[in-house]
Amino acid sequence: MMPIILSMILILSLIFSILVVIQKRKNAGITGFKSALTSICFFLVPVTTLLAYWFNFMGLLNWSITVILLIVGGYFTKYIPVSKK
């Protein structure tokens, strides 16, 4: 019962945080795919881990995908625009 509750909390918080990021990008007038890749990669990390947990696939491939997503997300932070404030 507890893993189901934790999975639901993760899914709901992930959806909420995606909506917040989309709204903030829209309010700031930020467009472009490269500046969104950091957020996309960082949101794919919990999705990958949750799918691996659901399908009993916690292993080297899951860790490799997670590390690659973190590296790619970190690389594309240079395309995030700097605020004028």
Side-chain angles (χ1 to χ4, degrees):
M1 183 70 170
M2 190 66 156
I4 296 171
I5 294 171
L6 291 176
S7 296
M8 293 303 293
I9 290 172
L10 176 67
I11 291 170
L12 291 175
S13 63
L14 192 62
I15 291 171
F16 177 74
S17 62
I18 289 172
L19 293 174
V20 168
V21 167
I22 290 172
Q23 187 65 32
K24 284 189 175 195
R25 284 178 58 87
K26 194 179 292 184
N27 288 343
I30 300 172
T31 58
F33 185 68
K34 283 186 180 179
S35 62
L37 275 175
T38 298
S39 299
I40 292 169
C41 288
F42 288 162
F43 286 134
L44 283 176
V45 169
V47 170
T48 305
T49 306
L50 188 63
L51 288 175
Y53 178 72
W54 281 347
F55 297 118
N56 265 345
F57 199 60
M58 301 292 286
L60 185 61
L61 185 63
N62 179 34
W63 281 97
S64 301
I65 292 171
T66 301
V67 168
I68 289 170
L69 285 171
L70 287 173
I71 290 171
V72 170
Y75 174 76
F76 281 102
T77 55
K78 67 180 180 181
Y79 294 109
I80 296 176
V82 179
S83 66
K84 305 278 186 210
K85 295 179 184 180

